[in-house]
């Protein structure tokens, strides 16, 4: 906030806040949040992003003097922090540590979940002013311009609580401990039981002793290979996209890599030649997923524009686009002659693929079956 002072001035009618109320000490603010009912500050993302320059008054702004006659300048850091960069780095490590991962669902329940509203929110002491909740006031129905302007100013300057996304307790995130065991009790060792193999669907019928032993051995061998991850060596590093890459996939002969990203592009790379072969963009929004069809000449791509696209690698153009969902397509997956698509609209759909229609005029190569 100090690095962008106009935000502070907007919040306080063109003036900096009273020096004693400004954020100028991590320890004091921590104490106020724990003991004061009126202080509901939360850490902004900058606390987890080095170098932490927002904690320094680099502009040398005159922020006033507190009642104890101390000048408000740089934010006073806790004793365990050597400086802003050290503090934000340690906070980032803590945020990505096992304790946060194991307890993150409690925070989700408070901010986005079932403890945001109703009796659960009251019990959790998580209740805010009623106008801050989404849908609590219909601005279009307010005829008094002064009342509407007052509410708009309050929303602009003090914000609103996020949209409630969940009405049931959020599941705990599965984490892997240093011993290799997950929070669900599954151990990444070879001590698999027959029951665990059955639960994973490796044997649909009650297995004989020999079949069970063979299935356990096969599963153990697969898990054992993953313990060799420390021996992996990077063969190349390609800066492929301008924005986050959402999916990568191999062609069936492992000679080509396909990648899609939030920059709306599909790119093809040669594994042997270590070079880009093609870059195309045919959606106005991010591409979220990519599935390679059995003929290796056709791709099915999911997009945030709710469509799935059938793209011909051979001819270099889109064969078909299908409005698949009511919200962004999040994933596409091909298996057993069926295409599965999932979406932010909470739906999963099953499609059948007609490879013989690709590249030819005729019916769509995709049709919904469930």
């Amino acid at each position: 906030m100090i690095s962008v002072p106009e935000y502070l001035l907007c919040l306080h009618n063109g003036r900096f806040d009273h020096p004693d109320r400004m954020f100028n000490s991590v320890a004091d603010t921590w104490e106020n949040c724990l003991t004061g009912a009126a202080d509901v500050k939360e850490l902004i993302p900058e606390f987890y992003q080095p170098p932490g320059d927002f904690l320094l008054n680099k502009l040398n702004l005159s922020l006033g003097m507190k009642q104890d006659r101390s000048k408000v300048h740089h934010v006073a850091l806790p004793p365990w922090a050597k400086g802003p960069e050290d503090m934000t780095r340690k906070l980032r490590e803590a945020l990505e540590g096992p304790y946060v991962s194991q307890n993150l669902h409690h925070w989700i329940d408070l901010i986005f979940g079932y403890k945001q509203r109703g009796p659960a929110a009251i019990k959790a002491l998580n209740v805010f002013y009623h106008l801050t909740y989404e849908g609590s006031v219909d601005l279009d129905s307010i005829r008094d311009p002064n009342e509407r302007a007052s509410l708009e100013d309050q929303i602009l300057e003090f914000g609103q609580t996020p949209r409630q996304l969940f009405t049931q307790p959020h599941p705990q995130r599965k984490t892997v401990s240093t011993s290799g065991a997950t929070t669900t009790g599954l151990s990444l060792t070879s001590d698999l039981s027959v029951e665990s193999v059955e639960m994973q669907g490796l044997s649909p019928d009650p297995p004989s002793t020999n079949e069970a032993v063979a299935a356990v051995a096969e599963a153990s061998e697969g898990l054992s290979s993953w313990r060799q991850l420390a021996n992996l060596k990077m063969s190349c590093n390609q800066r492929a996209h301008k924005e986050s890459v959402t999916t990568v996939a191999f062609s069936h002969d492992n000679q080509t890599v396909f990648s899609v990203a939030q920059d709306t592009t599909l790119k093809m790379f040669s594994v042997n030649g270590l070079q880009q072969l093609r870059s195309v963009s045919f959606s106005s929004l991010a591409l979220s997923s990519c599935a390679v069809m059995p003929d290796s000449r056709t791709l099915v791509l999911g997009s945030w524009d709710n469509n799935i696209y059938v793209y011909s690698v051979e001819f270099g153009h889109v064969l078909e686009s299908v409005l698949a969902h009511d919200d962004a397509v999040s994933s596409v997956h091909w298996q057993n002659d069926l295409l599965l698509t999932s979406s932010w609209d909470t739906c999963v759909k099953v499609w059948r693929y007609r490879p013989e229609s690709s590249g030819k005029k005729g019916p769509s190569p995709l049709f919904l079956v469930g």
Side-chain angles (χ1 to χ4, degrees):
M1 293 288 281
I2 291 177
S3 61
V4 191
E6 55 266 29
Y7 291 166
L8 281 170
L9 296 175
C10 174
L11 188 62
H12 298 289
N13 296 321
R15 296 185 301 273
F16 290 119
D17 195 13
H18 192 281
D20 286 282
R21 286 199 300 262
M22 296 189 70
F23 172 56
N24 55 76
S25 169
V26 173
D28 291 346
T29 304
W30 171 265
E31 182 67 22
N32 290 338
C33 289
L34 291 181
T35 59
D39 201 335
V40 292
K41 294 185 180 72
E42 291 189 5
L43 299 186
I44 59 177
E46 283 77 5
F47 274 92
Y48 306 97
Q49 299 172 354
D53 288 345
F54 75 101
L55 297 167
L56 302 175
N57 184 14
K58 287 189 172 183
L59 299 178
N60 289 317
L61 299 174
S62 179
L63 301 175
M65 189 173 293
K66 299 193 295 184
Q67 292 182 4
D68 61 4
R69 309 304 296 173
S70 62
K71 183 180 179 181
V72 177
H73 193 43
H74 301 316
V75 174
L77 304 181
W80 48 262
K82 298 178 182 178
E85 184 168 4
D86 180 65
M87 174 180 164
T88 51
R89 179 181 56 81
K90 289 177 177 176
L91 288 177
R92 179 66 173 263
E93 292 174 355
L95 180 66
E96 297 176 349
Y99 180 83
V100 173
S101 293
Q102 293 167 9
N103 292 277
L104 185 62
H105 60 293
H106 297 309
W107 178 82
I108 295 175
D109 288 338
L110 290 169
I111 306 301
F112 302 103
Y114 80 108
K115 291 183 179 180
Q116 189 199 85
R117 303 187 184 197
I122 297 174
K123 186 176 181 180
L125 303 178
N126 191 39
V127 180
F128 297 90
Y129 188 57
H130 70 281
L131 289 180
T132 65
Y133 291 95
E134 182 186 47
S136 62
V137 59
D138 182 7
L139 292 176
D140 293 333
S141 65
I142 299 176
R143 303 304 178 191
D144 185 342
N146 294 327
E147 180 182 359
R148 173 165 180 153
S150 175
L151 292 173
E152 288 177 341
D153 287 342
Q154 177 170 317
I155 294 172
L156 175 65
E157 296 191 2
F158 296 98
Q160 289 183 296
T161 56
R163 174 177 297 182
Q164 187 178 31
L165 302 179
F166 312 106
T167 56
Q168 299 294 328
H170 196 278
Q172 184 179 19
R173 181 181 182 184
K174 294 181 180 180
T175 58
V176 179
S177 67
T178 55
S179 63
T182 65
T183 56
T184 58
L186 175 62
S187 176
L188 297 179
T189 60
S190 59
D191 58 345
L192 290 174
S193 64
V194 174
E195 289 78 12
S196 67
V197 174
E198 290 177 358
M199 289 174 64
Q200 295 177 44
L202 299 178
S203 178
D205 301 317
S208 65
T209 303
N210 291 338
E211 290 173 339
V213 171
V216 170
E218 182 180 354
S220 300
E221 181 180 356
L223 290 173
S224 177
S225 64
W226 282 103
R227 291 201 293 270
Q228 306 301 318
L229 284 175
N231 297 327
L232 288 176
K233 294 183 179 179
M234 184 175 64
S235 61
C236 66
N237 182 13
Q238 178 74 37
R239 186 173 181 84
H241 294 269
K242 295 179 180 179
E243 296 185 37
S244 300
V245 177
T246 52
T247 299
V248 292
F250 272 112
S251 61
H252 292 294
D253 60 5
N254 292 334
Q255 298 301 306
T256 307
V257 173
F258 304 98
S259 65
V260 294
Q262 291 185 12
D263 61 9
T264 76
T265 61
L266 160 69
K267 299 200 176 187
M268 297 169 49
F269 299 89
S270 169
V271 175
N272 293 330
L274 298 179
Q275 62 180 349
Q276 179 176 302
L277 301 176
R278 190 179 303 175
S279 177
V280 292
S281 178
F282 40 78
S283 172
S284 59
L285 295 179
L287 296 176
S288 62
S289 42
C290 173
V292 182
M293 294 295 99
D295 58 11
S296 289
R297 297 176 299 175
T298 311
L299 307 176
V300 176
L301 308 164
S303 173
W304 286 5
D305 65 5
N306 308 359
N307 287 282
I308 50 178
Y309 295 88
V310 181
Y311 178 80
S312 171
V313 177
E314 182 179 9
F315 297 102
H317 62 81
V318 174
L319 301 174
E320 185 79 15
S321 63
V322 179
L323 184 60
H325 288 273
D326 295 329
D327 207 335
V329 177
S330 57
S331 179
V332 296
H333 180 71
W334 168 264
Q335 185 171 327
N336 298 332
D337 297 327
L338 294 174
L339 178 73
L340 304 178
T341 64
S342 61
S343 168
W344 296 355
D345 65 7
T346 73
C347 292
V348 175
K349 295 185 179 181
V350 183
W351 308 76
R352 193 170 294 279
Y353 171 64
R354 300 187 185 99
E356 66 275 4
S357 66
S358 298
K360 303 177 182 179
K361 291 184 178 180
S364 169
L366 287 173
F367 62 97
L368 184 64
V369 295

